[in-house]
Amino acid sequence: TRRSSDLLKNAVTEWLAGEGYRLEYIVHKAFHDAGLNVVMSNHIETPEGKWREIDVTAFQQIESKNSQPTLVRVLCECKYSQDKPWLLMYSGLQTHLWADWVSLPQSPRLRDLSPHIIDYEDQLRKSWHFAERQSIAHSLVQAFKKDNRDFAFDSLRKIANAAWDYVEAPDRHGATAALLTIPCLIVEAPLFWSWYDHDKGCFAVKEVQFGRLSWSGARGGTMIDVVHLDAASDYAAAIKNTFAIVLDVLQQLDERF
């Protein structure tokens, strides 16, 4: 009947809202509105030949003088955790251009060029990802957990490993490409910056829209962005600016070497 059909549609709508799929659509729209190439439910091949699904990816590409594509991509894992806030834990780590650069997953060709990246410091500093005097978190935790599962650790491990798998897959298959990725977690619950105030002998927290994390759980250190859903549009604009600057730098490096 019409009534039962309406009830079913309402139930499905409520279920979709509760599962967090809304996050992926909002992030997709933010990247699209920023003028980036964007795809939902992309898949990354693991070294074992399995496929890992990524919620949202956005990218830009140029052709190099060697006819090999040079591509920068952000890989986003969207996390719906309702009332469980996320905490970026800080202990004094600050930005460092070379360390920040090599901590972004990149293909072997780009890693070979890393020693020369300092030559482009003035240019790279104009992007949020390489700006001076930024604080970098060392860990991400989720507050008010009701079980022993480390949801934050699992999320970081998935997106970091996916980013490394992506940049290394062409090399495993004998193809050539210059690839750089920015792993990102998009969260819907409140996001806080947290540190221990030694003078007061207690923790301090402040709510933020996005931040960066140097996570040691993958390849000895991987830079990961953590972004609140409300800041998706601002983050998309920052990503677009970073892409433009990084691609210009990579093109100059390609012409030199």
Side-chain angles (χ1 to χ4, degrees), residues 41-165:
S41 299
N42 196 36
H43 287 77
I44 304 297
E45 185 184 9
T46 70
E48 298 76 26
K50 298 180 180 179
W51 293 93
R52 189 195 316 270
E53 184 177 15
I54 304 300
D55 293 332
V56 184
T57 73
F59 61 94
Q60 285 191 329
Q61 177 177 326
I62 58 173
E63 295 298 325
S64 73
K65 66 179 182 180
N66 298 316
S67 298
Q68 300 172 0
T70 298
L71 188 146
V72 288
R73 180 184 293 265
V74 58
L75 305 181
C76 296
E77 177 78 1
C78 298
K79 289 301 176 184
Y80 178 67
S81 54
Q82 296 180 316
D83 58 346
K84 298 180 179 62
W86 298 80
L87 306 176
L88 284 160
M89 307 298 293
Y90 172 66
S91 60
L93 185 64
Q94 299 289 314
T95 53
H96 182 280
L97 180 63
W98 185 82
D100 296 347
W101 176 268
V102 297
S103 296
L104 289 176
Q106 53 196 274
S107 57
R109 163 66 176 160
L110 295 189
R111 288 200 296 272
D112 292 342
L113 296 174
S114 293
H116 306 284
I117 204 65
I118 195 66
D119 298 342
Y120 302 91
E121 179 173 7
D122 291 343
Q123 193 171 347
L124 288 167
R125 292 296 189 194
K126 296 176 182 178
S127 71
W128 173 69
H129 286 88
F130 301 103
E132 289 187 278
R133 293 184 293 276
Q134 282 196 78
S135 297
I136 305 294
H138 70 272
S139 183
L140 179 70
V141 298
Q142 194 176 26
F144 312 138
K145 293 189 301 180
K146 297 180 180 179
D147 54 40
N148 292 326
R149 181 184 176 188
D150 195 335
F151 194 47
F153 178 87
D154 291 344
S155 302
L156 293 170
R157 178 173 57 183
K158 177 181 178 181
I159 199 63
N161 287 337
W164 284 105
D165 288 343

Side-chain angles (χ1 to χ4, degrees), residues 34 36 60 123-130 234-248:
L36 298 172
Q60 285 191 329
Q123 193 171 347
L124 288 167
R125 292 296 189 194
K126 296 176 182 178
S127 71
W128 173 69
H129 286 88
F130 301 103
D234 290 339
Y235 179 68
I239 282 287
K240 183 179 182 180
N241 181 55
T242 294
F243 281 2
I245 291 172
V246 167
L247 283 173
D248 188 42

Side-chain angles (χ1 to χ4, degrees), residues 30 34 128 209-210 227-240:
W128 173 69
Q209 292 298 294
F210 45 75
V227 181
H228 191 272
L229 184 64
D230 289 348
S233 294
D234 290 339
Y235 179 68
I239 282 287
K240 183 179 182 180

